[in-house]
Amino acid sequence: MTVLDSAPLDVLDAYRTCEFVTLGRDGTPAAWPTAVWRRPDGTLLLSTSLAFAQKALNIRRDGRVALLFSDPTGSGREEPPQIFVGGRAECPDEIMTGPQGAEDYWRMLFARQPHSRSYLAPPMRLLMDWYYLRLLITVTPEQVVVRPPLPPAPGTPAPAGDLVGAAQLAPYPTAVLAARDASGAPVLARTRPVPTPEGFAVAVPADCPAAPGPAALLVHRHDERLNHMHNALVRGGLRESDTGWLLVPDRVVEPMGTGRASDAVSVLRATKRATDRYLARRGLARPRVRWPEFKALARDARRT
């Protein structure tokens, strides 16, 4: 038996993405959607490209992490339970240029996100090699909480207002609160932010021991084939008010842009610069991606 065995594993495996949170240098929780593979030994395998290595750097400073499986898009499940997993992560500073050690993860990704196979074609390789230069993250679960799905929203959503982040949150009926507990460990909960003059009112479930301090609200979306992705993080501070919890926003982070077609060029430039920066700080030349190995796994995925 492992800690993860207390969760409904068939439901966990069906989720296409989960929300994954690490702790920044200043202690602020940073949550982003990511794909996860459950290993037979009860650990969870994630990865991050060199272009988005911040979560890896965070883990090397503080290994406390959390995951929340709460967006069932593409899972084939109607109103599945949410699954919170708290634990510790490791991320060795070893750049993986091929799928070795993560073959099942890549088969899953190629099967669930068919358009990613196109990155393997020669015309795309010069633009997308950063996508395949990966750091592997292993999470050892220490806590599992199973929650019911968030019930339908009562009434009409509140108007967005002019708070920082209001425009990013408004299109989404729910968001994921990333906060810390009294010990400083990250916690996650899906909630419905309501704009108020002071900040976003958020309801926190009783089994989520959030404490005042740095916090954020994550919104993200994708279709059933992990296309048309968008994500945004509204950062700020969580505090208690007379009526409950309040997230007071101060900054918005949108690493993949706003979703406009014109953002694509900017994002590709940013990913190249970030990859070059990661390598330069370690005095490394740009590694060569093992394209044939990835192509073989993509063919396997196409047959399934």
Side-chain angles (χ1 to χ4, degrees), residues 141-158:
E142 297 176 339
Q143 177 194 19
V144 173
V145 177
V146 180
R147 298 176 184 145
L150 212 58
T156 304

Side-chain angles (χ1 to χ4, degrees), residues 261-302:
S262 58
D263 289 336
V265 173
S266 297
V267 169
L268 285 174
R269 288 173 177 167
T271 55
K272 183 182 185 306
R273 287 195 300 267
T275 301
D276 291 344
R277 187 163 56 246
Y278 187 94
L279 295 169
R281 288 175 176 172
R282 287 155 179 78
L284 300 174
R286 199 178 188 91
R288 291 178 62 86
V289 175
R290 300 183 187 180
W291 299 111
E293 295 175 29
F294 281 116
K295 289 187 71 174
L297 289 183
R299 284 194 296 271
D300 290 346
R302 191 177 290 111

